Amino acid sequence: MTATIQTFTVIRSAPEGFESKAPYCVAIVKEGEIFSTVVIDGAKDLADLRVGLAVEAIDGRYVVVPQGDRKN
């Protein structure tokens, strides 16, 4: 099922132990009636992320759904 980004932030200065992961995106997504806080993987450019963007859980990771592949 596809979820949508409700709000997000880009972490550029990561906490100790996560420095190698920065920058990365933490988002609140809505999937059906459920809200979850997730890390978004697979964005080609973090500047392209926006509220309302479709994401999908694949193998436990939330990734951006390409425009032509969206199920909603």
Side-chain angles (χ1 to χ4, degrees), residues 20-68:
S20 66
K21 306 275 187 204
Y24 59 93
C25 174
V26 175
I28 295 176
V29 299
K30 184 177 181 188
E31 190 169 2
E33 297 300 315
I34 308 282
F35 289 88
S36 301
T37 302
V38 301
V39 173
I40 305 296
D41 288 329
K44 290 181 182 175
D45 186 352
L46 293 175
D48 292 338
L49 295 175
R50 65 187 184 286
V51 171
L53 187 66
V55 295
E56 189 170 325
I58 299 174
D59 296 328
R61 298 172 49 209
Y62 276 83
V63 297
V64 174
V65 177
Q67 184 78 25

